[in-house]
Amino acid sequence: MDGSASSSGGRSAAAPARMTTVSRHYFGGGASERDHDLRVDIIENIEEDYGMFVWPCSIILAEYVWQQRSRFSGSRVVELGAGTSLPGLVAAKVGAHVTLTDIAQNTEVLNNIRRICALNNANCNVLGLTWGDWDDPIFDLHPDIILGADVLYDSPKFDDLFATVTFLLENCPGGHHLIEFLMVKWGLKCLKLVDGFSFLPPCKAASLQGNIQLVEIALDKEIPKRPSGDELSDSTKARRRDAGMGYVELTVTGCRDGILGADSRS
């Protein structure tokens, strides 16, 4: 059957079958079906939300996590805008304690993340977290490392993203001109900018295209404060007050690591 049916006798047509598939991603060895050290299976639905299929940047970041696996083992990791969660799942498989997050209202994506975790026998916490919303769950997160793949594509959300990143980094124990501006605004700095194809196995690079960069970001400890009240919008001030963060003379606290992200958009 093609997943559809004509109506008869007053009955409405059946809903079309969902275009669900499972993609397999290999790491280590030859990164192939016959030669690999780790396999992660991802449930995708190309007809659904952006968060229901694997974006190229997710493949790049997942490979980076694998190649840096000694750094991730034993770390507390939060993936923002996780979607199909490939980078976070690799982190979990190499020994990290992982929380996978996506928009709180997007229950379909969150439920798919849970199904993917079950499929891969990955013990990850799945949490609804909307950037810039200071709900109770965000206060319980104390990440050593934050992951984000394909999160820098919607410029109106950049401010909320970096507000969330900064709060999470302060809460821990230890290309684009607008992006650069907001990084300075929020007291962040770029530690590393890497061509995504420079470390990707050829068998994976062959299926991808575009200019994909991986950027590593951390708190800039040399910056004594973040924007004053006059430099912040009223909505940002309100969100920071609600979060108990304030918006004048904020001191940067130490943290071991920053955010690992990849962005394919100019």
Side-chain angles (χ1 to χ4, degrees), residues 96-127:
H97 307 286
V98 177
T99 298
L100 304 169
T101 74
D102 213 297
I103 300 172
Q105 294 77 20
N106 202 336
T107 56
E108 182 68 16
V109 170
L110 293 172
N111 287 336
N112 193 55
I113 293 174
R114 295 183 179 98
R115 288 191 291 267
I116 293 171
C117 289
L119 180 63
N120 290 279
N121 295 316
N123 185 21
C124 299
N125 181 34
V126 179
L127 178 67

Side-chain angles (χ1 to χ4, degrees), residues 152-171:
L152 300 175
Y153 64 90
D154 189 2
S155 57
K157 298 186 185 302
F158 285 177
D159 206 44
D160 287 337
L161 169 62
F162 283 116
T164 302
V165 169
T166 303
F167 176 81
L168 289 173
L169 293 183
E170 288 185 327
N171 207 31

